[in-house]
Amino acid sequence: MKGFGIYKSKKYLQRVLISIMLSMVIVLIALTLVNTYVLEQSVRRNQEQSNLKVLSQIQYNLSYMNEIISHLSNYVNKDNQIAAMLFDQKLPKMDWIRGYNRLQSYMDSSSFLHSIAVYNHTQNEIYATSTPFLLDGGITKAKIRSWLFDPNEPHSTSRLIPVSLEREDGQIDVFAYLVTNSLKPFSRSESAIILYIKSDWVFNSLKKMDAVSSQEGGEIYIADQDGQLFSSDLTQASAGASEKEQIKQLVEKDKRAYSKTSGFVVGSIDKQKHLISYMDDGVRNWTIIYVQSYDKLMKDVRETRIKSIVIAVVFLLIAIGISIWLSYKLYTPIERMLRRIRLQLPDKRGSGQAQPAYEGDEFHLMSDNYMRLSHKLQEISSEQIVNKYYLRKFLTDSSLFTHHDMLELIQKHGLDISVSDEIVVCVLKIDNYEMFDRNTTGTSKKMYSFAIVNIAHEIMSRSYPCEAVEVRGDHVVLIVSRGAEDEKLSFGQVVPLISEIQQTIEHYYNLSLSCGVSDPFQQFPYISTAYNQAQQLCMYKIIVGNKAIITSDQVQPNLTSKQSVIPDIIERRLTEALKKGQMSEAGSELEKAFTMLAKFQYDDMLRALSNLAWAMKNAAAEIANNRLIKLDVDLEYATRMIEEKESLEEMYITLLSLCAKICEGQRPASMERNDMILETIKELIEQKYADINLSQQSIASTVKLTSAYIGKLFKDSTGVSITEYMNDVRLRHAQQLLENDDYTVIDIMEKCGYANPSYFFRLFKGKFGSTPKEYRMKKSIS
């Protein structure tokens, strides 16, 4: 009962469980119903197709029987001995006996004959072979005469006509087949032969096909042109008049509705469902009807349906188990959340008040708790906004407040700042902030700032009363104080705690921080002064590098330094060494300059660095103006470097690299001239390689120098002669043309400046190991 009570209290779990269970139940039931419906339709279609084949075969058998009887009737009609019985006005007894014997011989030779009757219209007499006809005192003869001369029903010739010759119950026992000398319906004015066919012989094939084609034991009927139904079961009148009438109405209704000669209809016969198949026999104007019990046909379907229901019930039980497990699995996170929420809900039991019953499901509880917390958070957020405002105001404009005013504001807003003892201000700045600002989105910046503020406040507040606030988005300020009640507490732990803050931020966010720590002060109006001091101290990371914690004691020499410029002699020696290409002297002077810079105050340091960079830039520009070859140095970077680099060490390395580039370009003038001559020769060869007349002499004439001089200069500088270099250029172009164009080898030779094929082939094979034609063939195959 306790478990049920717990379950009953979990309203959302109930909804989830009921929803999943109902979904599974509906799906399983729908699946079962659809499967059984599809199966029933499939069985019915298969049965209809099977019945159609059976009816087609029956129609064929009836046609074949009619053909056999037609052939026999022709033999009988043309028999001379029987002709006397048909047409003689007075039949002698011997002719009667001979005719009777002849009819009997036909009877003996044809097992399907019941009897044969002959009507002689001149004598108005009927002769027959059956025993009842001869011995019953004229009763059978009267039946034949009554049927034959029925004025309301003229009989067609050469057609099987169902008749009841000996039975009194209305069921047929023979089929009559009239044969006359004309094709018109029979009349009393002409003689006729009547062949009586055993109904068993006609229906025998129907019953056999019924037994073979179906296990359900259907019944076959033949409906004549008047709509009268005759059954294949002659032993009993299995279908009463009402049943036959219902069958006939169902078939005629379906025929009229769809205007077809064969089809299927499902209907009720004596309150039982049946499948009725029918097909018209166009030769005899009959309709063959096959009636089957629908319940028997669908016996397998019912069994399958029961099995499906049993399987569905089994799977339903499994689904219920899975539903319960899945519901609790889905409900577990909600239950955990509810436990946490209940811990935060106000408990009124201690006050003697009963906990009120809660209405609604778990989400209503969460929603109400969320709204309660949201209102509380808005109150806290509003209070925090006010607190952050006053903290920023203290940092920037504390001189506008008196000590007493600030004391009241601190107490009023509950700021965690001691009102009775010393205070220090710490400024935390992100190193390489320019790169951080370029590569970080606005949302990420807010997240980082929020993290730094909270982590810094949490770590520092473990030992000191502390407030943390973000200022201008690029740094965080900590206002750290110590209470007078704890005399042993000093600011000695501030630096280790800041180091812990740096390590934590770097570990979780991969950000490097530098920090400036102001001197302690007691009067609140000095907060702005301490904040500016901490900012200035943070700037001195240019000397100590990133991740520095800087106090005024560490940079005291810089703060008291009187020197503000680099001596002119150092700048002069540096520029002279650059102009002369003396890298070691330039590096020595640059090192002296940076050694002095490290002792300057921050502002003087930046100014001196800027002057030094401009001096180097001017020297490089002067060198570039006086050289024949362009100096490959980015002169503007020397002045931009101060904005991009954050430490003296980085700036020193950058300027030293710039000195190296400038000095590397200071080669002797003769070397510049020779390089220019060599570049000119190479450029001429690249431009005029296709000229057959291009040679060392023509090149010498172009550059206004002797052939021997340029030949020796080129050989000494490159290690190959001008002719060898020229052939190398020409052969490379020939190689490209062979690979990429469809020119002939002779055309390529001429385009590359060769006039002698054998000379060209020899050079090409010497360089590539094959003739031009072989080379092209190999490349096309590969």
Side-chain angles (χ1 to χ4, degrees), residues 512-526:
S512 173
L513 300 178
S514 293
C515 180
V517 183
S518 74
D519 295 331
F521 62 94
Q522 289 185 334
Q523 294 295 319
F524 292 133
Y526 290 103

Side-chain angles (χ1 to χ4, degrees), residues 29 102 105 239 276 508 535 715:
I29 291 175
R102 193 63 173 171
S105 66
I276 303 171
Y508 287 106
Q535 278 191 302
K715 180 78 171 179

Side-chain angles (χ1 to χ4, degrees), residues 234-513:
L234 303 180
T235 61
Q236 56 181 346
S238 57
S242 62
E243 295 179 10
K244 291 182 179 180
E245 185 63 26
Q246 292 174 38
I247 294 171
K248 183 170 68 172
Q249 290 178 359
L250 288 172
V251 172
E252 290 177 353
K253 182 179 180 181
D254 193 67
K255 281 185 176 182
R256 288 195 301 269
Y258 300 102
S259 300
K260 54 186 181 180
T261 59
S262 63
F264 314 91
V265 60
V266 176
S268 178
I269 302 175
D270 284 349
K271 300 181 181 180
Q272 291 187 354
K273 198 174 182 180
H274 287 76
L275 174 64
I276 303 171
S277 308
Y278 64 89
M279 177 180 288
D280 287 348
D281 179 15
V283 177
R284 288 161 292 277
N285 294 327
W286 288 355
T287 299
I288 306 166
I289 302 173
Y290 189 23
V291 181
Q292 294 168 289
S293 172
Y294 199 81
D295 292 337
K296 291 181 180 180
L297 286 176
M298 298 301 161
K299 178 181 177 182
D300 292 338
V301 176
R302 285 199 307 275
E303 292 176 356
T304 304
R305 183 183 290 115
I306 293 171
K307 292 177 182 178
S308 299
I309 292 172
V310 172
I311 294 172
V313 170
V314 172
F315 274 95
L316 185 58
L317 295 175
I318 296 173
I320 290 172
I322 294 174
S323 301
I324 296 172
W325 173 81
L326 183 60
S327 299
Y328 273 98
K329 197 77 174 174
L330 295 173
Y331 187 75
T332 299
I334 300 174
E335 189 171 27
R336 291 174 184 167
M337 189 180 297
L338 284 173
R339 289 173 186 167
R340 296 177 182 176
I341 289 174
R342 289 193 179 100
L343 292 175
Q344 305 299 326
L345 291 175
D347 189 1
K348 299 182 180 181
R349 287 175 295 183
S351 61
Q353 300 180 20
Q355 189 80 12
Y358 187 79
E359 296 183 0
D361 61 15
E362 293 86 334
F363 278 105
H364 284 87
L365 176 62
M366 289 188 225
S367 176
D368 289 350
N369 189 63
Y370 169 78
M371 295 302 296
R372 182 178 62 83
L373 293 177
S374 178
H375 292 318
K376 187 175 180 180
L377 183 61
Q378 288 177 2
E379 294 174 2
I380 296 172
S381 178
S382 300
E383 186 177 345
Q384 285 180 346
I385 291 172
V386 174
N387 292 349
K388 299 299 181 184
Y389 167 77
Y390 279 111
L391 286 173
R392 292 189 181 99
K393 196 70 174 174
F394 292 164
L395 291 172
T396 56
D397 300 313
S398 63
S399 59
L400 301 177
F401 298 90
T402 64
H403 181 82
H404 180 72
D405 292 339
M406 293 182 69
L407 186 61
E408 286 186 352
L409 289 171
I410 290 171
Q411 292 175 340
K412 178 181 178 181
H413 296 287
L415 299 177
D416 195 9
I417 300 175
S418 174
V419 298
S420 58
D421 213 320
E422 293 182 324
I423 298 174
V424 296
V425 175
C426 306
V427 173
L428 293 166
K429 279 196 170 184
I430 299 174
D431 296 327
N432 300 313
Y433 184 78
E434 296 295 331
M435 183 182 299
F436 170 80
D437 187 51
R438 287 196 304 269
N439 300 330
T440 310
T441 62
T443 304
S444 298
K445 290 177 189 175
K446 292 180 181 179
M447 186 271 292
Y448 287 131
S449 297
F450 178 79
I452 294 171
V453 168
N454 284 277
I455 291 173
H457 181 268
E458 181 180 352
I459 293 175
M460 188 62 70
S461 62
R462 293 204 300 255
S463 301
Y464 300 97
C466 171
E467 286 290 348
V469 65
E470 175 196 3
V471 181
R472 291 201 299 272
D474 64 343
H475 63 275
V476 172
V477 181
L478 292 173
I479 302 176
V480 184
S481 57
R482 63 185 180 89
E485 64 276 3
D486 192 353
E487 296 179 356
K488 295 181 180 180
L489 186 63
S490 66
F491 288 117
Q493 291 298 314
V494 170
V495 172
L497 290 174
I498 291 175
S499 179
E500 184 181 349
I501 293 170
Q502 290 175 325
Q503 292 172 8
T504 304
I505 295 298
E506 184 174 18
H507 175 73
Y508 287 106
Y509 299 101
N510 198 27
L511 290 178
S512 173
L513 300 178

Side-chain angles (χ1 to χ4, degrees), residues 145-164:
R145 183 177 291 275
S146 174
W147 170 81
L148 185 62
F149 301 140
D150 187 357
N152 299 322
E153 188 178 353
H155 302 300
S156 299
T157 58
S158 301
R159 297 286 187 274
L160 288 173
I161 304 170
V163 296
S164 179

Side-chain angles (χ1 to χ4, degrees), residues 32 55 97 109 116 140 207 219 258 301 306 362 455 468 479 499 517 550 560 589 668 677 704 744 782:
T32 302
L55 295 178
I97 294 173
S109 63
I116 302 176
T140 302
K207 289 189 288 185
E219 191 166 356
Y258 300 102
V301 176
I306 293 171
E362 293 86 334
I455 291 173
I479 302 176
S499 179
V517 183
I550 307 166
T560 58
E589 296 301 324
I677 293 172
K704 308 302 181 187
T744 64
S782 61

